[in-house]
Amino acid sequence: MVPHLVTALTGPINELEQRVLDSTPAIERWFRLEWMEHTPPFYSSVDIRNAGFKLAPVDTNLYPGGWNNLTPEMLPLAVQAAQAAIEKICPEARNLLVIPENHSRNTFYLANVAQLVRIFHMAGLNVRVGSIDPAIKSPKKIELPNGDTVCLEPVARSKRRLGLKHFDPCTILLNTDLSAGTPGILEDLHEQYLLPPLHAGWSVRRKSNHFHSYEEVSKRFGKLLGIDPWLINPMYAKAAEVSFATGQGIDVLTSHVDALLTKVRRKYKEYGINEKPFVVVKTDNGSPGLGVMTVRDAKEIEALVRRPRASKAGAAKEGQEPCDLIVQEGVLTNERVHNGVAEPVVYMMDRYVVGGFYRVHAERAPDENLNLPGASFVPLAFSESAHLPQPGAKPGASAPNRFYMYGVIGRLAMVAASYELEATDPDAEVYE
């Protein structure tokens, strides 16, 4: 099913789309060479915003949790990608242990776990789900509204291995982002493959590192296509040690917001864009405590400090204050699905785009965060390899062309994530 798109199909996005379609052989070769030098994340999802004049990633998740939103038609692609990924890491793999997040009551999340089990089972593995939640002391079978069942089993840790009773996996797949820290039970596994690695979790990972890597990737990719990298790259700045409760670091945050808004204004003027620039402020370590704030004027930051609720809103997860923030250029989304504001989310495994969906929110504006309660999900049509471009089609007129564009942007973010993980790998050799 291809959702009906009501998109601003005017201006530079069409030129960008045409440039991408014309350059497909060069683009695919570029990706091929990148993957010869770098290891892609095991799996990832990328939130993309299409402003009509700009197409850019705004968030990259290395522990994607919405696999249940992929349609049955997308599963063959996911299974093939899973087979390729596992063969590369552990060709003789037989047993896979999936470690989910510790909220076993969220049936929507557990439907995602059931889908992952299905994908890896079809890829030829024995798959079990092992919980590191201390509350899970015996196998717990949970019936899901869609008819699936998930059995959570307590993990068992020996000196060097992690598994279940009578189940010894060679590979462990984490589907929890470790934002609360790295559990000791997952450390020092010398004889098992842990995917993704622990330093991909939010206890180590920082959004600013990712977008620093993405900026580098977008410059090189822009040079390949002969385009301004800004058309695919959201500018950003980092504000360290900010506390809305005490006012610490607020002046630095305000100056970053002001400077970034000025840069965006300059770009809008250069391209003749009649939109009001905005930036997005969020925690650098992926903590949901602050939420995502849309800011259109630097004065709004000072107002937040004076607001009585600000101290609560600004308190990062588990009271860790002050916190580092990332100020990111806001990218409008001009896509609509079922009369709701929509943004595409692209799902990837190994180096392959395997599917995706639209995140749709009828109550949000084009310059607001859509990843909130009330959002719904409409599948993207990546079925039957429809993410392949149709070279003869007019730019903007063909859904597969648009989806190919999303896949290119998603894969650029994946390349950036591979750079980011290499740079933060504690076991990497450092050459002087």
Side-chain angles (χ1 to χ4, degrees), residues 63 132 174 176-183 186 197-204:
Y63 298 89
I132 55 174
L174 294 180
T176 172
D177 64 14
L178 308 180
S179 53
T182 304
L186 298 177
L198 291 177
H199 66 280
W202 286 122
S203 47
V204 174

Side-chain angles (χ1 to χ4, degrees), residues 142-190:
I142 301 166
E143 304 278 341
L144 303 179
N146 64 0
D148 281 340
T149 60
V150 172
C151 184
L152 299 177
E153 301 180 68
V155 296
R157 171 73 198 242
S158 66
K159 189 176 180 185
R160 295 172 73 80
R161 295 181 78 82
L162 186 69
L164 306 174
K165 195 176 178 183
H166 309 310
F167 186 77
D168 186 28
C170 79
T171 307
I172 296 162
L173 180 64
L174 294 180
N175 195 240
T176 172
D177 64 14
L178 308 180
S179 53
T182 304
I185 198 169
L186 298 177
E187 293 178 329
D188 302 318
L189 297 173
H190 300 293

Side-chain angles (χ1 to χ4, degrees), residues 229-379:
W230 177 76
L231 294 172
I232 55 171
N233 177 43
M235 297 184 287
Y236 79 97
K238 180 180 173 180
E241 301 286 299
V242 177
S243 167
F244 283 91
T246 65
Q248 178 184 331
I250 292 297
D251 52 344
V252 175
L253 174 62
T254 305
S255 68
H256 278 313
V257 167
D258 196 39
L260 196 53
L261 283 169
T262 301
K263 282 183 186 174
V264 178
R265 217 169 278 123
R266 205 174 292 136
K267 277 291 182 187
Y268 279 18
K269 190 176 179 184
E270 181 186 336
Y271 283 94
I273 295 160
N274 296 317
E275 298 285 353
K276 189 172 174 61
F278 67 102
V279 297
V280 168
V281 179
K282 47 194 174 184
T283 51
D284 198 21
N285 67 350
S287 158
L290 178 68
V292 177
M293 297 189 299
T294 299
V295 180
R296 298 167 191 84
D297 190 307
K299 290 175 187 160
E300 293 173 29
I301 297 293
E302 292 159 24
L304 275 171
V305 181
R306 290 195 295 272
R307 202 180 299 166
R309 289 180 304 156
S311 58
K312 290 178 187 173
K317 197 176 183 183
E318 297 173 2
Q320 295 167 348
E321 274 212 291
C323 61
D324 294 346
L325 303 177
I326 181 171
V327 182
Q328 191 179 55
E329 174 191 350
V331 182
L332 292 165
T333 179
N334 275 335
E335 305 231 42
R336 301 285 182 282
V337 176
H338 306 327
N339 295 322
V341 175
E343 64 186 10
V345 184
V346 174
Y347 270 59
M348 291 161 292
M349 195 173 291
D350 194 60
R351 66 179 70 178
Y352 306 104
V353 176
V354 297
F357 52 83
Y358 279 106
R359 183 183 288 119
V360 185
H361 207 305
E363 295 167 20
R364 307 298 287 178
D367 63 352
E368 291 182 309
N369 175 31
L370 307 186
N371 193 9
L372 290 165
S376 58
F377 305 93
V378 177

Side-chain angles (χ1 to χ4, degrees), residues 6-255:
V6 185
T7 311
L9 295 175
T10 55
I13 196 78
N14 278 5
E15 293 165 34
L16 175 60
E17 195 168 323
Q18 188 65 62
R19 191 69 62 92
V20 168
L21 295 174
D22 291 345
S23 308
T24 299
I27 289 170
E28 294 307 321
R29 179 176 180 274
W30 187 88
F31 278 121
R32 199 162 58 243
L33 295 176
E34 284 295 319
W35 299 132
M36 285 172 70
E37 299 289 329
H38 306 281
T39 304
F42 185 78
Y43 58 3
S44 54
S45 68
V46 178
D47 296 357
I48 295 171
R49 306 273 286 204
N50 179 357
F53 53 85
K54 176 172 184 148
L55 188 69
V58 293
D59 213 1
T60 300
N61 187 352
L62 299 183
Y63 298 89
W67 290 93
N68 51 310
N69 291 315
L70 302 194
T71 61
E73 293 81 11
M74 295 175 190
L75 287 189
L77 287 175
V79 171
Q80 284 177 327
Q83 286 172 327
I86 291 289
E87 276 166 24
K88 213 160 56 177
I89 293 153
C90 181
E92 68 280 6
R94 183 178 295 146
N95 295 338
L96 176 78
L97 182 65
V98 178
I99 308 264
E101 292 182 3
N102 291 349
H103 48 61
S104 58
R105 290 180 186 170
N106 184 336
T107 56
F108 187 82
Y109 171 74
L110 289 174
N112 145 77
V113 174
Q115 183 85 302
L116 277 173
V117 170
R118 186 179 292 114
I119 288 167
F120 286 98
H121 175 75
M122 289 194 288
L125 294 165
N126 301 314
V127 190
R128 306 259 290 267
V129 182
S131 177
I132 55 174
D133 185 345
I136 304 289
K137 296 188 182 342
S138 60
K140 181 180 179 183
K141 206 167 188 179
I142 301 166
E143 304 278 341
L144 303 179
N146 64 0
D148 281 340
T149 60
V150 172
C151 184
L152 299 177
E153 301 180 68
V155 296
R157 171 73 198 242
S158 66
K159 189 176 180 185
R160 295 172 73 80
R161 295 181 78 82
L162 186 69
L164 306 174
K165 195 176 178 183
H166 309 310
F167 186 77
D168 186 28
C170 79
T171 307
I172 296 162
L173 180 64
L174 294 180
N175 195 240
T176 172
D177 64 14
L178 308 180
S179 53
T182 304
I185 198 169
L186 298 177
E187 293 178 329
D188 302 318
L189 297 173
H190 300 293
E191 300 171 352
Q192 289 170 306
Y193 295 96
L194 188 66
L195 304 169
L198 291 177
H199 66 280
W202 286 122
S203 47
V204 174
R205 195 173 174 231
R206 296 295 177 266
K207 289 176 189 278
S208 54
N209 288 341
H210 176 74
F211 283 101
H212 173 75
S213 295
Y214 185 81
E215 188 172 44
E216 182 188 332
V217 169
S218 65
K219 281 177 184 169
R220 288 179 43 236
F221 190 77
K223 196 172 178 183
L224 175 78
L225 262 61
I227 61 165
D228 179 353
W230 177 76
L231 294 172
I232 55 171
N233 177 43
M235 297 184 287
Y236 79 97
K238 180 180 173 180
E241 301 286 299
V242 177
S243 167
F244 283 91
T246 65
Q248 178 184 331
I250 292 297
D251 52 344
V252 175
L253 174 62
T254 305
S255 68

